[in-house]
Amino acid sequence: LSVDGIYRLEAEYFLSPIEALSNKTNLTKEEKSDLSQLKDYHEIFKEIMTQTSSSYGGGMKMSDLSGVKFTDGKRKKNQAVIDLALSQVGQAGGRPYWSHYGFSNRVEWCACFVNWCMRNTPSATGKYQKTENNAYCQAVANNFKKIGQWGERTYTEIVAGDTIFFDWNGDGHTDHIGLVIGSDGNKVYTVEGNSGDAVRVNSYPAGSSVIYGYGLMNY
C-alpha cells in the first residue's frame, strides 16, 4: 500500500465509523461496545503503522516534535495559536469546541476546534474570517479560495498557524481541517481536532494526495 492508501483505509475503517457512532445519541449497549472497540483498534493500528512505516506519522506524541527541524516559509507565522492548540492534545469528544460554537449536541468537530483556537488567540481572532458556516470544512475552504488565500497541496510556503484541509476519499471535496504546526521539507506536521474523536498531533508526507490544500492565514 502507498502511504496515501493507508490514510484512506484509516478513514474508511476507523475514522468514519468512529464519527458515525460518536454522533449518535442514545447508543445501545452493543453500539457503545463497538465504539470502544473501534477506538482501541484504531490506537493499535496507529501504533503498528508508526512502527512499520517511516512515512506514516498518525498519532504522534508531543515529544516526537522535539527533534523536528522546521523549515518556515517566508510568510508571518502565529505560534500562539499553535501553542494553544497543542495544549489541548488528548482532549476527547470535542465538547469544549462544538459547544463554544453553539451546538447542543456533538457534531463533526474538527472545524469547531480550529475556530475555537482562532477565536481564543487574540493575535489570530481578527484574521480568521467568518463564513456562512465556520463549522463546515468546505465552507471555510471555499472562503479561503474566494479571498485569494489558498495554497494547493504542493504549496511549500506554509507556516505555523495556517490551516490544512484533507480529502480522504479523493472525491474533490474536503472532509477534515487542522492547523499547521510546520514542515521540515519532507513532512507536514499538524494538530487536529476530531482525529479519531480526539485532539492529536499528526504528520503527512509533503504533497500527499490526501491533502486537499491550505488556507493561508495573513497574520
Side-chain angles (χ1 to χ4, degrees):
L1 287 173
S2 68
V3 172
D4 290 351
I6 292 168
Y7 290 128
R8 293 198 169 98
L9 284 176
E10 180 183 18
E12 180 177 354
Y13 290 103
F14 293 107
L15 300 180
S16 294
I18 288 173
E19 183 66 35
L21 283 172
S22 296
N23 276 338
K24 289 190 69 174
T25 55
N26 302 318
L27 290 176
T28 65
K29 184 176 180 180
E30 183 179 359
E31 287 172 329
K32 289 179 180 178
S33 177
D34 288 345
L35 179 57
S36 177
Q37 189 175 65
L38 272 169
K39 289 184 175 182
D40 288 344
Y41 285 162
H42 188 214
E43 293 300 323
I44 295 170
F45 165 83
K46 284 178 171 290
E47 182 62 29
I48 291 172
M49 291 311 305
T50 299
Q51 293 178 9
T52 59
S53 172
S54 60
S55 297
Y56 180 84
M60 298 174 63
K61 297 177 181 178
M62 291 287 287
S63 58
D64 294 336
L65 292 174
S66 61
V68 179
K69 294 183 178 179
F70 291 109
T71 304
D72 293 327
K74 297 177 182 178
R75 297 167 39 250
K76 186 177 180 180
K77 65 180 181 179
N78 191 320
Q79 190 61 44
V81 72
I82 296 303
D83 290 343
L84 176 60
L86 291 175
S87 74
Q88 304 299 299
V89 169
Q91 206 285 342
R95 180 179 290 274
Y97 320 116
W98 50 256
S99 62
H100 178 267
Y101 196 86
F103 292 106
S104 57
N105 295 298
R106 186 192 182 281
V107 297
E108 296 183 19
W109 53 275
C110 57
C112 292
F113 172 71
V114 170
N115 189 75
W116 182 90
C117 292
M118 294 292 189
R119 302 303 176 212
N120 284 282
T121 305
S123 56
T125 298
K127 304 295 184 179
Y128 191 63
Q129 291 203 0
K130 292 182 179 180
T131 73
E132 67 272 18
N133 188 352
N134 275 54
Y136 179 46
C137 297
Q138 193 66 63
V140 179
N142 288 345
N143 187 67
F144 274 114
K145 293 179 181 180
K146 179 180 177 180
I147 63 177
Q149 293 177 211
W150 182 255
E152 299 299 332
R153 64 182 179 85
T154 55
Y155 184 79
T156 58
E157 290 295 314
I158 52 175
V159 296
D162 280 338
T163 55
I164 180 171
F165 296 84
F166 298 91
D167 175 6
W168 303 128
N169 302 317
D171 59 3
H173 295 87
T174 180
D175 311 295
H176 185 63
I177 182 177
L179 289 166
V180 173
I181 299 172
S183 173
D184 62 3
N186 296 311
K187 295 181 180 180
V188 178
Y189 297 83
T190 65
V191 55
E192 304 161 31
N194 202 22
S195 177
D197 200 34
V199 179
R200 297 180 184 272
V201 172
N202 294 311
S203 70
Y204 305 86
S208 169
S209 66
V210 299
I211 297 175
Y212 179 76
Y214 298 95
L216 308 177
M217 295 294 294
N218 186 15
Y219 294 114

